[in-house]
Amino acid sequence: MKGRVRRALPMGLAITAGLLAVVFCVLVPVLLLLRLDDDELARWSDIGQAVSPVAVFFSGAAFLGITAALLMQGRELRNQREELRIAQEEQARSSELAMRELHTDLIKMAIEDSELRSVWPAPAPGEQTTRKDHYCNLILTSRRSPMRPAPSSSQNSAMPCGS
């Protein structure tokens, strides 16, 4: 609760100061204009017209500054999108590698322990899964890398993992 009060107090003071500045900037010129006669108003009008090219210059400079800021924000947004795309690709690659490591670890456990091997489905009905089947699975899995497509079924049948 104290943290909120500490943060709200400076914000309230800033808003109050801003409102007072706006009121001051509006009221002071109005009050000054009410006290001036026609000759004095004409003189100030001439001064305002003489200064107007400076206002045009600063307006143009402000427009160019806003345009430059928008262009830089657009470029930064494109860069962030590219970085996000790269990060997503890296995350997908990392996830794929983690899944492959998990698969490899599970198969290694099945190769080493016959009780765990019995949990795996049989290669064909009525046949027992052998260590050779799991080793063949490791070979086939290692041939598929994230950069290479998986071998076609005709290539799989030519693999030296038969019984």
Side-chain angles (χ1 to χ4, degrees), residues 6 23-24 26 40 50 55 61 74-75 79 83 89 94 101 127 129 131 133:
R6 285 184 192 167
V23 168
F24 182 77
V26 170
E40 195 70 25
R75 186 179 311 139
N79 289 343
E83 288 175 9
E89 288 175 359
S94 175
E101 282 183 32
E127 289 188 29
T129 305
R131 291 172 57 145
D133 294 324

Side-chain angles (χ1 to χ4, degrees), residues 15 17 20-21 32 42 49 57 67 71 77 82 87 93 95 117 120 123 126 132 145:
I15 291 172
L20 286 175
L32 289 176
Q49 288 178 2
F57 170 76
T67 303
L71 291 173
L77 183 60
E82 180 65 21
R93 238 181 267 132
S95 175
R117 197 175 321 129
W120 284 77
K132 184 178 176 183
S145 71

Side-chain angles (χ1 to χ4, degrees), residues 94-123:
S94 175
S95 175
E96 173 72 22
L97 288 174
M99 288 301 293
R100 287 177 188 254
E101 282 183 32
L102 177 63
H103 181 256
T104 301
D105 291 344
L106 288 172
I107 291 179
K108 284 180 182 178
M109 290 169 60
I111 289 173
E112 294 167 359
D113 188 349
S114 62
E115 188 177 348
L116 294 177
R117 197 175 321 129
S118 66
V119 175
W120 284 77

Side-chain angles (χ1 to χ4, degrees), residues 75-86:
R75 186 179 311 139
E76 186 65 28
L77 183 60
R78 280 191 300 275
N79 289 343
Q80 286 178 352
R81 285 181 182 155
E82 180 65 21
E83 288 175 9
L84 180 61
R85 184 187 62 76
I86 290 170

